[in-house]
Amino acid sequence: MTGADIDLILPELILAVGSMALLMFGTYGGGDSRAGLINGLMAALMAGLAAMIAFDPGSGRAFDGAFVSDAFSRFAKVLMLLSAAAILILAQDYLAKRRLMKFEFPVLIGLAVLGMMVMVSAGDLISLYMGLELQSLALYVVAAFRRDSLKSTEAGLKYFVLGALSSGLLLYGASLVYGYTGSTNFERIAAVVAAEEVSLGLLFGIAFLAAGLAFKISAAPFHMWTPDVYEGAPTPVTAFFASAPKVAAGALFARVMYDAFGEAVSDWRQIVVFIAIASMFWGSIAAIGQKDIKRLMAYSSIGHMGFALVGLAAGTVQGAEALMTYLAIYVVMNLGMFAFILSMERGGRPVTQVADLSGLGKTHPGQAMALAALLFSLAGIPPLAGFFAKYFVFVAAVEAGLAPLAVAGAVASVIGAFYYLRIIKMMYFDETEEGLDGRLLTPHRIALGGAALAMSVGWLPFVDGFGLIEASRAAAEALVR
């Protein structure tokens, strides 16, 4: 390990040392009595690292190509760190009121984000797996963090069992890729793929890798864990699942396909197209009958990951740019939605039924307006940012000769709009005997209002004014060399 290697992995080293230090501080310095302080320190550490990475122009490869630092990884890391920091801040009140404010929670979130940062910088199948398992092991624990809840325990167990299965699929695919290319390094794999015709065995390896990655992004038909885990896990954990891990898995999917198999686009594109179509339609149709808003958001995430994969299926710079733009907009929409869901209470007790939103437009018009803006954006209604997110991926697909995929996405989007619009209808046109308490803490109010404002003024010139389009393009160009 050289000084140059250390410079490239410095953010990861800082997060690793910081997480360990906070773990020791919690263990020997007061335990749960200092949990709120540790939570705040972890959020501050992540926000600081995001700023550090955003302004750090350093690019290169470390550890013989096993770790890659470029504009693509920096874009994903900034998004993951900021979303994780936001979740930690939003979760404070929820965890404290339900006696879940344990010092292990922010430490586990920090270690999960550390794994995600390694994932998106992976330049080798081995480093990919190390990052993936570090993330997964931490997420298994936080999914079952509410130990006195049967649903939470079941969620953690189900996630663990199915996660182990997906890891097996990914490892089997990695072993096939290694067997047919003679290397686990992405650059060397790409050289073999470019020099030789893709063999049937290597195609099977790519397929198994894609299956393992599809599980992590909760894409159909590998989505089985998502609804139950979203419903059973504590709401802050569900909010976290819906943000940073989605960015990490989506970025990792793109990293593997472009970096290692960029010369075999026509081969892996078919796999991604199938996963995208299955996810878009299953997420859109299955969500219609959901009565719990957390389960509804789970199926919503399945559908949205399908739309994001439309950009990946394009296999072009434009497609990678559209993918990263979509993930960024999706994270903002979800942070706003879960800021509201975290505050859903009636008589001081949490509620998560969709029917509980009935009459919200009359009892709490400001909250209803912000929530409606986010729901319209999730549905892809113009001129909100969610519409442009879908527009970008569909245009990338058409430009790549995948017009039928774009048409399928448009049809799925129309179907999916039903359950978003149904919630808006309930808020403004249905009556309720007892409304929600409507108490929003300042962090929740800022997150809900800020996300709604960002999505509402989401026409292209304004989005570009945030620098999102430019940053996504730089990330895509760094990936698709």
Side-chain angles (χ1 to χ4, degrees), residues 285-365:
I285 295 171
I288 292 175
Q290 300 304 316
K291 297 181 179 180
D292 186 281
I293 195 166
K294 290 168 69 177
R295 288 186 71 90
L296 185 146
M297 292 303 294
Y299 284 107
S300 170
S301 76
I302 295 168
H304 279 283
M305 290 306 100
F307 291 116
L309 289 177
V310 172
L312 177 60
T316 61
V317 174
Q318 186 180 9
E321 176 187 339
L323 168 66
M324 300 312 291
T325 302
Y326 197 103
L327 291 174
I329 292 175
Y330 175 75
V331 164
V332 174
M333 293 188 292
N334 267 274
L335 286 175
M337 284 295 300
F338 277 98
F340 178 82
I341 295 172
L342 281 165
S343 66
M344 284 178 62
E345 293 182 349
R346 177 178 289 139
R349 302 184 64 181
V351 291
T352 59
Q353 295 297 302
V354 175
D356 294 319
L357 296 173
S358 298
L360 187 69
K362 300 172 184 175
T363 58
H364 304 288

Side-chain angles (χ1 to χ4, degrees), residues 430-450:
D430 287 5
E431 299 293 336
T432 181
E433 294 182 0
E434 186 180 4
L436 296 175
D437 294 347
R439 184 182 69 92
L440 281 181
L441 298 176
T442 300
H444 299 84
R445 190 180 298 114
I446 292 173
L448 175 61

Side-chain angles (χ1 to χ4, degrees), residues 226-242:
T226 313
D228 291 335
V229 173
Y230 269 50
E231 181 184 16
T235 304
V237 175
T238 305
F240 181 65
F241 280 165

Side-chain angles (χ1 to χ4, degrees), residues 35 86 107 146 231 266 338 361 403 468 476:
V107 173
R146 190 166 188 172
E231 181 184 16
S266 59
F338 277 98
L468 175 60

Side-chain angles (χ1 to χ4, degrees), residues 17-18 39 60 68 162 165-166 179 235 270 280:
V17 172
N39 195 83
V68 181
L162 294 177
L165 174 62
S166 75
T235 304
Q270 303 170 51
M280 288 188 295

